[in-house]
Coordinates of all heavy atoms in Angstrom, one line a residue:
T1240 N 14.2 -23.4 -73.2 CA 14.0 -23.1 -71.8 C 13.5 -24.3 -71.1 O 12.5 -24.9 -71.4 CB 13.0 -22.0 -71.7 OG1 13.5 -20.9 -72.5 CG2 13.0 -21.6 -70.2
Y1248 N 7.3 -28.1 -51.0 CA 7.4 -27.1 -50.0 C 6.9 -27.7 -48.7 O 5.9 -28.3 -48.6 CB 6.6 -25.8 -50.4 CG 7.0 -25.1 -51.7 CD1 6.4 -25.5 -52.9 CD2 8.0 -24.2 -51.6 CE1 6.9 -24.8 -54.1 CE2 8.4 -23.5 -52.7 CZ 7.8 -23.8 -53.9 OH 8.3 -23.3 -55.1
L1274 N 9.3 -6.8 -5.7 CA 8.3 -5.7 -5.5 C 8.1 -5.3 -4.0 O 8.1 -4.2 -3.7 CB 6.9 -6.1 -6.1 CG 5.8 -5.0 -5.9 CD1 6.1 -3.8 -6.6 CD2 4.5 -5.8 -6.4
S1311 N 17.2 23.5 36.2 CA 17.6 23.8 34.9 C 18.3 22.6 34.3 O 19.2 22.0 34.8 CB 18.7 25.0 34.9 OG 19.2 25.3 33.6
K1317 N 18.9 13.7 19.4 CA 19.3 13.2 18.1 C 18.0 12.8 17.2 O 17.3 12.0 17.7 CB 20.2 12.1 18.2 CG 20.8 11.7 16.8 CD 21.7 10.4 17.0 CE 22.2 9.8 15.7 NZ 23.0 8.7 15.8
V1323 N 15.1 7.4 2.3 CA 15.9 7.9 1.4 C 15.5 9.3 0.7 O 16.0 9.8 -0.2 CB 15.8 6.9 0.1 CG1 16.5 5.6 0.5 CG2 14.4 6.8 -0.4
V1335 N 9.8 17.1 30.0 CA 10.4 16.4 31.1 C 9.5 16.3 32.3 O 8.8 17.3 32.7 CB 11.8 17.1 31.5 CG1 12.4 16.4 32.7 CG2 12.5 17.2 30.3
V1392 N 9.3 13.0 27.2 CA 8.5 12.8 25.9 C 8.9 13.8 24.9 O 8.9 14.9 25.0 CB 7.0 13.0 26.3 CG1 6.1 12.7 25.1 CG2 6.6 12.1 27.5
Y1402 N 9.8 13.3 -3.9 CA 9.7 13.9 -5.2 C 8.9 15.1 -5.1 O 9.3 16.1 -4.5 CB 9.0 12.8 -6.2 CG 9.8 11.6 -6.3 CD1 9.3 10.4 -5.6 CD2 11.0 11.5 -6.9 CE1 10.0 9.2 -5.7 CE2 11.8 10.3 -7.0 CZ 11.2 9.2 -6.5 OH 11.9 8.1 -6.4

Side-chain angles (χ1 to χ4, degrees):
T1240 303
Y1248 296 92
L1274 179 61
S1311 175
K1317 178 183 178 181
V1323 295
V1335 178
V1392 178
Y1402 301 106

